[in-house]
Amino acid sequence: MHPRWYYKLYDELFGWSRDYSKEIEIIDKIVSLKNKIIEEIGSGTGKHTEELLNKSPLILNAIDYDRQAIDLLKIKFAHLRNLNIVLEDGFKRNEFANIIICLYSIIQQTEEESILIKRVENLIHRIDVYACDVLIEVIDTELHNSKKYCSYNIYEDGENSINLESIETEYGTLLRYYGSINNLNVEYKVPLCRFPFTLLDSKTNISYDSIPLSKSNRKKLLHIYKKRY
């Protein structure tokens, strides 16, 4: 669960580094979103959710495991008939969907490799059963760790200040957000496990494509699907 200050400043913290509309356009070109049943794992403040709705899906299931995020989504998208807002761990679902989308590198946000493997295995299972397309954002932790260590300010408004520190660990990458919000010292750590590409390579019926999402090539969009014979 995220600390209370996280969503209050989320869009200011990360909005400068993302082009939400462009990212959904990339996905829409890979697999058309119109009239599809779409599942978005980790909807957060709804930035990608809004862009997905603009693509006229048949149904959009916005999934998040954080009640704060769910409350924000219900306020922002009240009374939309083709949107279901669900409080749930999206990586444990086994519902039908044409397209499953997971951005923000949420799939890697654990320091336990076994948890990440279970998440990937669940997605592969759903591809096997439902022949759905899965599009997830992955951070190349090896490329990220080539810098070994970095620290810089990512938000400043005169009263509040947040810094980001990146540290290499035995599991992958640890991102540490820290600073001062309303005269209180705050800290939030996000561990990122290395993505197990071997799981995808070992499945004879699964294909995947990798599309860069950033100029540094650190962020990639993986399109995972059943092989087209």
Side-chain angles (χ1 to χ4, degrees), residues 56-69:
S56 302
L58 180 65
I59 298 173
L60 174 58
N61 295 313
I63 316 295
D64 208 288
Y65 197 47
D66 193 319
R67 184 167 293 279
Q68 291 184 80

Side-chain angles (χ1 to χ4, degrees), residues 37 39 41 61 63 86 88-100 118-132 134:
I37 298 175
E39 181 175 306
I41 300 177
N61 295 313
I63 316 295
V86 184
E88 188 177 353
D89 183 346
F91 297 114
K92 295 182 179 179
R93 281 172 66 87
N94 191 25
E95 306 292 330
F96 173 81
N98 298 119
I99 303 165
I100 300 172
K118 286 181 180 179
R119 290 174 176 176
V120 177
E121 287 177 339
N122 175 267
L123 292 175
I124 290 174
H125 171 74
R126 295 178 74 181
I127 294 171
D128 280 335
V129 174
Y130 302 119
C132 55
V134 172

Side-chain angles (χ1 to χ4, degrees), residues 133-163:
D133 288 88
V134 172
L135 297 111
I136 57 176
E137 177 187 300
V138 170
I139 285 186
D140 187 335
T141 56
E142 295 296 336
L143 182 60
H144 194 282
N145 285 337
S146 65
K147 296 182 179 179
K148 301 299 180 184
Y149 172 84
C150 67
S151 179
Y152 51 93
N153 179 267
I154 61 171
Y155 182 73
E156 185 83 47
D157 68 1
E159 297 180 359
N160 305 309
S161 178
I162 296 293
N163 301 294

